[in-house]
Amino acid sequence: MNQVPKKTGLDIDLIMNQAQEAAETYIDFSQEKVDSIVAATYEALFNQRVQLAKMAHEETGIGLWEDKVTKNVIASKYLYEDIKDQKTVGIIREDEERMLVEVAKPIGTIFSITPITNPTSTAIFKILIALKTRNPIIIRPHGAAKKSTIATVKIAYEAALLAGAPLHCIQWIKRSTPEQTLEMMAHRKVALVFATGSVSLVRSAYKSGNPAIGGGPGNVPGYIGKSADIPFAVNQILL
């Protein structure tokens, strides 16, 4: 857990060292142990889906809390149902014809920036896939959505710890300057950057020098083919 002191600043190296320690412990966990941690964390987050949605709406003033409940369900229940039976430990595929064996291995610390638009659902999604793949994750929330995001992260962390997850497998940054955020994205102990937010943020992630996956602004143009069921397609896009 990381509460950023107002006077002394952010100890980035301490945060990264704690994440590395978690990674070194987590790498030895069995598939069964990993799955039990993911299941417990998912359940805790899913049970708070309405409360977290209302918190996000109240804090940001964006959208409808009912829609945010739906997003929390998608990021928790639908995601969990999709990944719960996937193998992420040891041998996950064998190709006898090509004499290839695929072995799952964690990549290391993930540094994640979450947005103002979907603060709780984005955090839920990223935390669950990090836990499933045995990678520690550090969440840096949008400044205007930090209350609801941190509440989400705390629920996940407490549930994961109770299920036996390593200490500091999930950390969060209460506040950081733009310069500190860039420093964390570029830190040598970060294996992957998950950046969800503005175009400039995503560009900064891709320029960090570390592998990055960026998600910029949504509401992109949609193309409907002439053979489509137009009313159905429009309805699905609006949903």
Side-chain angles (χ1 to χ4, degrees):
M1 302 182 186
N2 291 286
Q3 302 296 326
V4 181
K6 293 182 179 180
K7 296 182 180 180
T8 58
L10 188 65
D11 192 337
I12 294 175
D13 285 332
L14 174 61
I15 294 169
M16 297 301 170
N17 288 338
Q18 289 177 161
Q20 183 174 350
E21 290 174 4
E24 292 171 354
T25 301
Y26 210 8
I27 196 172
D28 293 325
F29 278 35
S30 67
Q31 185 73 69
E32 292 73 21
K33 187 64 176 175
V34 169
D35 289 346
S36 67
I37 292 169
V38 174
T41 307
Y42 145 70
E43 185 175 349
L45 291 166
F46 181 74
N47 289 342
Q48 297 298 318
R49 61 193 182 281
V50 176
Q51 178 186 344
L52 292 173
K54 290 181 176 180
M55 285 183 64
H57 178 260
E58 180 181 353
E59 182 178 22
T60 66
I62 295 175
L64 302 173
W65 71 264
E66 294 89 346
D67 290 340
K68 294 186 182 297
V69 173
T70 300
K71 288 194 172 184
N72 287 345
V73 171
I74 293 170
S76 58
K77 183 176 179 61
Y78 286 15
L79 173 68
Y80 177 70
E81 292 297 329
D82 188 55
I83 68 174
K84 65 178 183 178
D85 295 324
Q86 292 184 23
K87 291 194 65 178
T88 56
V89 179
I91 297 174
I92 61 175
R93 187 174 68 91
E94 293 184 74
D95 187 334
E96 295 182 1
E97 183 178 342
R98 301 173 64 189
M99 294 186 291
L100 295 176
V101 177
E102 188 173 346
V103 180
K105 180 182 177 183
I107 58 173
T109 299
I110 298 172
F111 179 70
S112 175
I113 304 172
T114 55
I116 185 176
T117 48
N118 308 300
T120 57
S121 57
T122 304
I124 291 170
F125 167 80
K126 293 182 176 181
I127 287 170
L128 289 179
I129 61 176
L131 290 176
K132 179 68 174 179
T133 53
R134 295 175 293 161
N135 293 303
I137 187 167
I138 302 165
I139 302 287
R140 198 289 188 189
H142 190 285
K146 62 185 179 183
K147 180 180 178 182
S148 55
T149 305
I150 291 175
T152 304
V153 179
K154 284 183 176 180
I155 291 170
Y157 185 50
E158 290 171 3
L161 284 184
L162 285 175
L167 192 65
H168 305 303
C169 62
I170 304 171
Q171 299 184 81
W172 62 90
I173 308 299
K174 189 174 182 180
R175 62 175 63 85
S176 65
T177 65
E179 293 76 20
Q180 289 172 327
T181 301
L182 291 173
E183 182 180 348
M184 285 184 280
M185 285 196 291
H187 199 280
R188 62 185 178 83
K189 291 187 177 180
V190 166
L192 178 67
V193 178
F194 271 168
T196 306
S198 66
V199 172
S200 60
L201 171 67
V202 173
R203 286 175 178 168
S204 296
Y206 284 126
K207 293 179 180 178
S208 68
N210 282 322
I213 298 176
N219 299 323
V220 297
Y223 175 80
I224 300 176
K226 65 181 181 180
S227 64
D229 180 333
I230 304 300
F232 176 77
V234 170
N235 182 62
Q236 291 302 302
I237 290 172
L238 291 174
L239 285 175

